[in-house]
Amino acid sequence: MKKLKHIAILLGCLLLGGCTFLPEPVSLIQAPRPPAGKIEEKENLEPVAKRFLPGDAILAVPDRPVGGNSILEADFDGDGSLEAAAFYKLKGEPGKPGALVLKKAGKEWTLLEDIKGIGFDVGWGAAADMTGDGADELLLGWSIGASAGSTLNIFSFADGSLKKIGQENYHELELVRPEEGSVYSLAVWARDFADVYRVDMLSWDGSRFVSDEKLYPAYFPKVSQYYKARTAEVPDAAMYWYFLAEAQVKEGKPEEAVTSIEKGMGLNMIMPDYGKFSELKDEISAMLEDRKGLDAALYIPEPDLTLAIPIELYTYLAVEGSPGTSNEYRFSASIKPEGEERGELFDIVIYPKDAGESLNDKDLLKLFEDDRFIYMVKKGWKNPYPPDSPAFDLYSLAVTKKDEIISSLKRGSPVQKLENLEEEMLGAKINEAAQKRWYVQSGGNIEEMETITINESDYRFMGTDLDTESKLIQYFSSSFTNEAISAYVTHSGIRAHNGRLVQPNADGGSIMGYEHVQILQMKDAGEVKEFDLKAPLGDTLLYETFHIEFEKTKAGWKISSMPGSF
């Protein structure tokens, strides 16, 4: 079975903004990809599943991961054929949840398992290889309550049936795997108190799920990001500084953790108490002692680059990046002394080799190139601080280390990257929806072009597979809600003429890599979940952000944003 990837939990965040109908011009810098052919619809297993439901049950769509529906196909027994897991709820309030596992023998489906759940809803329903045996495990999360959270059951096929091999309580959950790997691990967020979470990474050790500290450096930057947001909102709460420092230790950044723990210890320490703060500070001090004389790795995600920074400069070096005007990506490294303005140290500019022409900047010097990009540097700034000031001395030290830092530049991350199941499910869903949109915009299966002028505007008749409203709605309906489809028809200018649909003459495509989306922020409103996402633009280092909404319907999670709005 084709594996799905990766979610991102950014807890307690608000959305940045809304969507626009047309993509930004930057998404059409390169020649757009032509639309793929018409998306083939999958076999409808809903009638099959309904035959096996308990008499007082209805099919149910799991709350997470977003992108799924009430029926999940996966190879649970490893025989190369797909089984089906159908999620359900008993009627009534509250309706107990459960899941049926169905197997096809020849042309007939049979009931393999009827798994009875707990709580009041199916909070999680997914399939992934958790044990490394090449077969998928079934992950079922049962929603218990807002305070109690949820319980995750993990089932694996053995001796002709599914056996429960793991159970974890959680409030938020991610399934992640190494970028080049196929075996997933759990990122479990369990609420400790208020909005403080205990986070752990769990992997299969052959007999059970245990803490996996090897994954901490790759995952805990996300935990640090969460607590940085909390400290920014409530800077006088010592507990947030403590848990930020703890997360920074686990991601391997004691240079940042020491600042966080000292800020927390300067406030009123109630929970955790002073003893816990002192223990963590001692651990951080020991880590710093072990790293004396070593460089710290600074990873810059957007261009996927790493710099080696001398320890004594690490906390004072600030890096800011942004896209340029010619498909290039630029980032500036500056020294930021405490209480002073930034003093620029050097700029790095990366641009695609197929950009057509080099950047016209006489101060740029070429560093190196690889098969895709050329890397340039600009480093001609003078010390901006008053002589004999601490800031002047700090900048002077940075200047002596500048060439060493620049020469350390390399592609990639210092730690393994993790893929995320929900993110890839979203990417697959959005990519399929985008392909459908472009297919419709191209007119569908047009064997011979027929054009017509209506009110002095040029139209063409749509292909035979999309030439009626019912055909168009059916084609879009597996990806979009009816309201989103109706809005698209109105905005796109599609109309009926003599019993057939016509559309304005236009074609298009996009270089947006929707299948590689990353979640920036999520707003959870229960049946509706809103995402701010970013996706790469073709073979560049540039990204474009967009806003999209998903709505949970009886048929599964569908996009409620209008086709063409992303």
Side-chain angles (χ1 to χ4, degrees):
M1 174 191 177
K2 182 180 178 182
K3 298 291 180 184
L4 299 171
K5 300 181 189 172
H6 163 154
I7 109 186
I9 302 170
L10 292 179
L11 304 169
C13 294
L14 297 176
L15 290 171
L16 295 175
C19 57
T20 55
F21 175 62
L22 295 175
E24 295 293 327
V26 70
S27 66
L28 298 174
I29 291 173
Q30 300 177 3
R33 293 183 294 237
K38 185 173 182 178
I39 305 294
E40 295 296 326
E41 300 296 331
K42 295 180 180 179
E43 178 187 359
N44 182 13
L45 294 178
E46 185 173 321
V48 176
K50 285 182 175 179
R51 294 205 309 265
F52 295 96
L53 286 176
D56 56 347
I58 56 174
L59 289 174
V61 177
D63 190 55
R64 303 286 291 274
V66 175
N69 54 45
S70 59
I71 300 173
L72 170 69
E73 293 184 80
D75 183 8
F76 296 120
D77 59 11
D79 67 352
S81 298
L82 298 181
E83 287 75 51
F87 312 108
Y88 68 83
K89 282 180 62 176
L90 300 182
K91 297 175 183 177
E93 291 294 337
K96 293 293 184 182
L100 304 175
V101 180
L102 309 176
K103 184 172 180 61
K104 196 171 188 180
K107 294 184 179 181
E108 296 297 323
W109 286 90
T110 60
L111 178 63
L112 187 64
E113 301 280 351
D114 183 358
I115 301 171
K116 306 296 186 183
I118 58 176
F120 65 90
D121 204 356
V122 185
W124 189 278
D129 184 1
M130 307 295 298
T131 64
D133 63 356
D136 289 309
E137 274 64 52
L138 176 62
L139 294 98
L140 298 173
W142 312 116
S143 297
I144 311 299
S147 178
S150 302
T151 295
L152 177 72
N153 293 157
I154 305 171
F155 296 88
S156 186
F157 194 87
D159 301 324
S161 64
L162 286 171
K163 310 290 186 183
K164 187 166 73 172
I165 63 170
Q167 178 170 304
E168 299 293 335
N169 295 324
Y170 70 93
H171 286 84
E172 296 288 345
L173 181 70
E174 288 193 75
L175 265 67
V176 298
R177 63 176 176 81
E179 190 175 41
E180 302 301 327
S182 60
V183 181
Y184 286 83
S185 298
L186 299 170
V188 179
W189 295 61
R191 186 178 292 123
D192 195 356
F193 57 90
D195 53 0
V196 170
Y197 294 81
R198 295 287 182 179
V199 183
D200 201 6
M201 306 299 297
L202 303 177
S203 297
W204 183 252
D205 74 348
S207 60
R208 60 195 180 99
F209 289 94
V210 298
S211 294
D212 190 347
E213 295 185 8
K214 297 191 302 296
L215 295 177
Y216 286 179
Y219 187 82
F220 269 83
K222 184 176 296 182
V223 184
S224 295
Q225 188 176 7
Y226 171 70
Y227 284 112
K228 284 177 182 176
R230 300 307 298 129
T231 57
E233 291 178 13
V234 194
D236 293 333
M239 65 181 181
Y240 295 133
W241 290 105
Y242 175 89
F243 288 104
L244 172 57
E246 185 181 63
Q248 289 167 332
V249 165
K250 290 181 177 179
E251 68 171 305
K253 293 184 176 178
E255 301 82 13
E256 296 181 15
V258 69
T259 301
S260 300
I261 199 68
E262 287 176 351
K263 285 184 177 179
M265 295 184 78
L267 300 169
N268 186 20
M269 292 165 284
I270 300 175
M271 186 184 301
D273 59 24
Y274 177 80
K276 289 290 186 183
F277 272 90
S278 295
E279 288 176 12
L280 184 56
K281 185 175 182 179
D282 290 344
E283 181 182 349
I284 295 168
S285 298
M287 291 179 69
L288 289 172
E289 186 66 28
D290 290 341
R291 295 174 69 149
K292 274 187 176 179
L294 300 178
D295 291 338
L298 176 64
Y299 179 58
I300 309 148
E302 208 86 311
D304 189 29
L305 293 171
T306 297
L307 290 169
I309 311 298
I311 290 291
E312 61 268 30
L313 292 176
Y314 184 82
T315 56
Y316 301 102
L317 191 76
V319 174
E320 292 183 344
S322 62
T325 57
S326 302
N327 271 11
E328 83 274 14
Y329 188 90
R330 297 172 175 262
F331 73 87
S332 298
S334 305
I335 291 298
K336 179 65 173 70
E338 192 167 344
E340 299 281 356
E341 295 295 321
R342 294 185 179 188
E344 193 155 8
L345 196 60
F346 61 85
D347 286 353
I348 299 292
V349 180
I350 312 106
Y351 67 94
K353 295 176 72 172
D354 60 1
E357 59 182 45
S358 300
L359 297 176
N360 185 22
D361 189 333
K362 60 182 179 60
D363 294 324
L364 284 175
L365 300 174
K366 183 177 177 180
L367 285 175
F368 59 89
E369 63 181 84
D370 56 26
D371 57 337
R372 295 172 58 200
F373 301 104
I374 297 175
Y375 301 81
M376 313 288 285
V377 64
K378 182 178 181 180
K379 53 179 181 177
W381 283 274
K382 295 181 179 180
N383 196 323
Y385 304 110
D388 301 323
S389 68
F392 184 92
D393 294 340
L394 180 63
Y395 190 93
S396 297
L397 174 63
V399 169
T400 66
K401 303 286 186 179
K402 180 162 55 176
D403 288 340
E404 178 184 335
I405 295 172
I406 293 171
S407 64
S408 74
L409 182 74
K410 63 179 182 179
R411 288 296 306 275
S413 168
V415 298
Q416 62 181 326
K417 296 179 183 178
L418 297 177
E419 300 289 348
N420 176 301
L421 180 67
E422 189 169 51
E423 237 171 38
E424 192 163 330
M425 289 180 69
L426 287 171
K429 194 82 173 178
I430 295 169
N431 190 51
E432 180 178 289
Q435 288 186 44
K436 287 187 175 185
R437 180 268 176 114
W438 292 120
Y439 183 74
V440 169
Q441 186 164 321
S442 72
N445 183 23
I446 298 177
E447 296 180 359
E448 184 176 345
M449 182 74 70
E450 298 178 69
T451 61
I452 189 172
T453 300
I454 303 175
N455 296 331
E456 300 183 352
S457 297
D458 292 330
Y459 286 80
R460 66 183 173 209
F461 286 92
M462 299 186 72
T464 55
D465 56 343
L466 297 175
D467 61 357
T468 67
E469 183 178 1
S470 61
K471 290 179 183 178
L472 181 63
I473 291 174
Q474 182 180 7
Y475 179 61
F476 266 144
S477 63
S478 63
S479 295
F480 297 94
T481 62
N482 288 338
E483 293 78 7
I485 298 170
S486 177
Y488 174 74
V489 171
T490 300
H491 282 80
S492 65
I494 294 174
R495 58 191 295 177
H497 183 80
N498 293 336
R500 295 169 62 191
L501 292 184
V502 296
Q503 67 182 164
N505 263 319
D507 288 305
S510 174
I511 63 169
M512 291 275 282
Y514 290 113
E515 64 274 26
H516 301 300
V517 297
Q518 295 179 38
I519 298 173
L520 298 176
Q521 299 193 83
M522 184 188 80
K523 181 179 180 181
D524 188 344
E527 302 289 287
V528 175
K529 297 191 188 338
E530 302 180 36
F531 296 91
D532 284 322
L533 302 165
K534 71 174 184 178
L537 287 169
D539 194 27
T540 72
L541 291 174
L542 307 183
Y543 288 79
E544 189 163 294
T545 60
F546 60 100
H547 179 84
I548 194 167
E549 296 182 4
F550 278 78
E551 180 179 333
K552 186 162 73 169
T553 71
K554 291 181 179 180
W557 283 99
K558 294 186 179 183
I559 298 171
S560 51
S561 300
M562 180 176 57
S565 63
F566 56 90

